[in-house]
Amino acid sequence: MAYEQKPGQFSLFKNKKKTTDNQPDYNGSGMDLSGQECWISAWVKRPEGKKPFFSISIQPKDEQQAAKVETVKAELVSDDLPF
């Protein structure tokens, strides 16, 4: 029986191909809460004098879904503000 991810679940793996600091320390895939497949990337941040934490990015796998996300972002950041 193969493992099936459910909405809201992701799998992360150590990035063994990392060559620069801009590339994620961990990457993987999963499903967002609506069930859309996504890529996930995580960087370990170690601020001086503070506890380490993860900085995480989630991107849709489907190009049409990615375009939809960009449209929503554009609608949220509009130049037609009344003030």
Side-chain angles (χ1 to χ4, degrees):
M1 184 171 165
Y3 173 74
E4 287 188 37
Q5 287 182 323
K6 296 177 183 151
Q9 292 182 336
F10 294 90
S11 296
L12 279 174
F13 304 92
K14 183 85 169 159
N15 184 1
K16 295 181 180 179
K17 297 179 182 180
K18 181 175 177 163
T19 57
T20 67
D21 286 339
N22 290 346
Q23 294 174 332
D25 296 305
Y26 295 86
N27 52 25
S29 63
M31 289 185 162
D32 66 12
L33 294 175
S34 67
Q36 297 293 320
E37 291 187 357
C38 297
W39 296 112
I40 185 167
S41 301
W43 293 260
V44 179
K45 302 290 184 174
R46 294 178 175 88
E48 194 172 317
K50 297 183 181 179
K51 291 182 180 182
F53 65 93
F54 284 107
S55 175
I56 298 172
S57 171
I58 299 173
Q59 300 292 323
K61 281 186 179 181
D62 184 7
E63 292 298 321
Q64 290 176 333
Q65 183 68 18
K68 209 182 281 187
V69 168
E70 289 302 318
T71 301
V72 170
K73 283 183 186 176
E75 288 173 3
L76 292 175
V77 181
S78 175
D79 290 336
D80 298 332
L81 296 175
F83 49 88

